[in-house]
Amino acid sequence: MIDLKLRIVAEGFTDIHFLRKLLYRELVHETKFYASQGKVSAVTVGRNILVHEGGPVLIVVDSDTLDIERQREYEETALAAVDAAYARDFGAMPPLFKVFTFRPCIEVVFFEAPEALEKLIGKEVDERTVEEGKARPKRRLQELCGITESSWL
């Protein structure tokens, strides 16, 4: 029997933190989050969860590129890898699986929409902060939020 709790796989704990902030109104109560933490690909983690626990599974990763074609290729390759593993184990049942890539990374969203950044950190941001964030979004957003690796341990 397939358990229909939404499972979201991201690359790291900070990505999960930001996803929760971006999606807080849309998330269902029983959403589970997983972080691959660079030890294995998020796609592999998502495929394993889909096969062993069921779906739906959403993989959310940074595309690390501004090239739309490369982004699409990554998404198609990821979906093909999951489809092959799922079809082998479950036959023709369509998997409840999707890959979403942020271009170039999730942190950029907050600097492209400063209102979202202000809601995230709870105060107004100046133009300089926004420009610094566009240049180095990961580092700047972690600094603004006070997120360190030790905060997740």
Side-chain angles (χ1 to χ4, degrees), residues 22-46:
L22 288 170
L23 301 175
Y24 77 99
R25 290 183 193 257
E26 285 79 18
L27 291 177
V28 294
H29 174 65
E30 299 186 16
T31 300
K32 292 175 85 176
F33 288 87
Y34 300 84
S36 63
Q37 285 298 91
K39 294 179 171 64
V40 68
S41 84
V43 174
T44 299
V45 173

Side-chain angles (χ1 to χ4, degrees), residues 114-126 129 144:
E115 314 81 47
L117 177 60
E118 291 173 352
K119 285 182 183 178
L120 177 69
I121 63 174
K123 61 181 181 181
E124 286 188 34
V125 293
D126 57 22
T129 300
L144 289 168

Side-chain angles (χ1 to χ4, degrees), residues 132-152:
E132 288 172 355
K134 288 179 180 178
R136 291 190 179 93
K138 287 181 183 282
R139 179 181 295 161
R140 190 66 183 117
L141 192 56
Q142 287 176 354
E143 290 169 355
L144 289 168
C145 294
I147 295 174
T148 62
E149 257 188 66
S150 62
S151 64
W152 289 104

